[in-house]
Structure formats: structure tokens, C-alpha cells
Amino acid sequence: GESVGLHLPTLSVQEGDNSIINCAYSNSASDYFIWYKQESGKGPQFIIDIRSNMDKRQGQRVTVLLNKTVKHLSLQIAATQPGDSAVYFCAENPYNNAGNMLTFGGGTRLMVKP
Amino acid sequence: DSGVTQTPKHLITATGQRVTLRCSPRSGDLSVYWYQQSLDQGLQFLIQYYNGEERAKGNILERFSAQQFPDLHSELNLSSLELGDSALYFCASSVASAGGDTQYFGPGTRLTVL
């Protein structure tokens, strides 16, 4: 069953196209950022992370871009596949806390059309 | 499979009752985190334990409590349950406790309060 809000922004892309999912974060003190993928009925799955001393990091078919000036994070997925359909969350880790709590964005639903 | 296990998968109970959710972290991880995911609030951090001690606290209600045992598994206790406590509860784990340590999530426990 669904595990996220009913009114998520949705990105619909054609299979094989590139996808770009955006996220605005709130805390200028955050120094670590993560993208998670959540499929229906499952827990968030780690995709890629980036630290504040970088502005780009690449993984397999995914790239994360960080713009600290405007507090913006994006996730690019190359050659999007049906298996990429899920809700994607960005999360930030504020530096000024004793632990390691994550603050999550509201999520974006990615729908891949075959 | 993240290596984090949670039981039970589903829990249905009545208002006023008390339940216990259980989490086993990935092998070698010392930190355990609890998050709540509801339709209107998204993913929210509740509490973090590191090697048996509370490390960080988020928006956790006084009716909720948690602990981490010597074998590093953790339990989240929810008491005097209300309808609004219905949500998905996720446990995550990481190796250490400091910021920037990647958190891996379990499959969640879906709590329904009737």
C-alpha cells in the first residue's frame, strides 16, 4: 500500500528519457545530503549522497547536484527505467546537532511510462 | 535488502492500547534511528540511540519511548495510542553516530489504530 502523502508532486517521464528531480533544503548549516528511493510498501532505499564540500557526485545512472547558494539539490537519473518508478526523497543532515538526524523533504513521485 | 529487520510488519490495535515495535540493525552498526511516516507529516525523525545510549531526540511524543539493548536491537514503545498514531514506523541503522553517516532503513511496521 501507499506509504506517502496523497498530494506529492509527480514527474512523469518516458522510459529511456532522463529524469531530474529537484529539492529545496531548508538549513544552510546542513553539510550532508542524501537521496532515497521508496517503492510502495517498502522502506526508503539509499541511492546516493553528497557532502557540502562538493557540488556534483555521480553514481551508476544517477548524479546528484548541490547548489549551496540557493539551497537546492537535484537528482538526475539517466535512461530512466520502469523499475525507477517510486517516490524519491531528499534528506539533509544539519551539522549542528549531536546526533545524525535526517530531515526529509516531502518527496516526488516518479512515474515511468513504457 | 538493507540488512535492517523490523517486526512485526503489520500491527492493528485499538485506541488506548500499548504496542512495542522491534528493530535489529545491520551487523556492525551501532546507531539505531526511529522515524515515523504519516500521510500528513511525511517522514519525521523520532529518536536515535548509539551503543545503548540516547543520542538525539526529535519530535517524539511523551507517550512514546525507545531503548537500545546490549545486543544493539532496539524497541519503540507506543502507549495510550490515538487514531493519529496510525502510520508507518521505520527503523534505520548506521555504523557510527556522527553527522554524515549513511542510514539504511528497514522495511517498516505499519501501525493501524482503530
Side-chain angles (χ1 to χ4, degrees):
Chain A
E2 282 303 330
S3 56
V4 296
L6 298 175
H7 303 292
L8 288 176
T10 298
L11 175 65
S12 186
V13 300
Q14 204 69 39
E15 180 179 358
D17 287 351
N18 296 334
S19 303
I20 300 176
I21 300 171
N22 296 305
C23 173
Y25 64 91
S26 57
N27 191 340
S28 57
S30 292
D31 69 338
Y32 177 60
F33 305 87
I34 315 99
W35 281 99
Y36 285 94
K37 170 187 179 183
Q38 187 175 26
E39 297 174 276
S40 182
K42 296 185 178 181
Q45 175 189 351
F46 172 83
I47 301 173
I48 192 168
D49 58 5
I50 188 168
R51 298 187 188 275
S52 60
N53 60 352
M54 304 172 69
D55 53 21
K56 180 178 180 179
R57 189 163 189 227
Q58 289 184 290
Q60 187 176 16
R61 277 200 313 119
V62 294
T63 301
V64 55
L65 299 177
L66 174 63
N67 185 330
K68 295 181 287 294
T69 303
V70 294
K71 294 192 287 186
H72 184 268
L73 199 62
S74 69
L75 176 71
Q76 301 178 359
I77 304 174
T80 313
Q81 302 168 359
D84 296 326
S85 293
V87 177
Y88 289 80
F89 293 95
C90 65
E92 60 182 297
N93 178 217
Y95 179 75
N96 56 347
N97 71 83
N100 190 23
M101 62 173 285
L102 294 176
T103 300
F104 282 82
T108 296
R109 187 185 310 278
L110 176 65
M111 296 177 62
V112 182
K113 296 177 286 186
Chain B
D1 183 358
S2 67
V4 179
T5 60
Q6 289 185 249
T7 57
K9 190 171 176 60
H10 300 279
L11 202 47
I12 301 174
T13 189
T15 54
Q17 295 298 304
R18 172 190 168 95
V19 296
T20 298
L21 312 184
R22 183 187 169 104
C23 167
S24 292
R26 296 186 319 157
S27 177
D29 285 0
L30 297 179
S31 270
V32 169
Y33 311 80
W34 287 98
Y35 290 84
Q36 179 192 59
Q37 187 174 40
S38 60
L39 287 177
D40 57 347
Q41 295 287 326
L43 264 162
Q44 297 231 317
F45 170 76
L46 295 178
I47 198 163
Q48 175 194 359
Y49 277 81
Y50 173 72
N51 206 19
E53 294 190 4
E54 182 182 305
R55 188 76 175 183
K57 213 166 185 175
N59 298 322
I60 187 166
L61 299 171
E62 285 192 11
R63 301 183 285 109
F64 296 1
S65 65
Q67 53 184 328
Q68 186 179 28
F69 294 87
D71 68 351
L72 301 176
H73 91 271
S74 177
E75 293 181 356
L76 179 66
N77 300 296
L78 315 176
S79 62
S80 302
L81 285 167
E82 302 175 359
L83 296 177
D85 297 327
S86 295
L88 276 163
Y89 291 84
F90 289 104
C91 169
S93 74
S94 70
V95 173
S97 70
D101 201 27
T102 304
Q103 295 179 33
Y104 295 90
F105 282 76
T109 293
R110 181 178 291 278
L111 174 66
T112 302
V113 183
L114 301 175

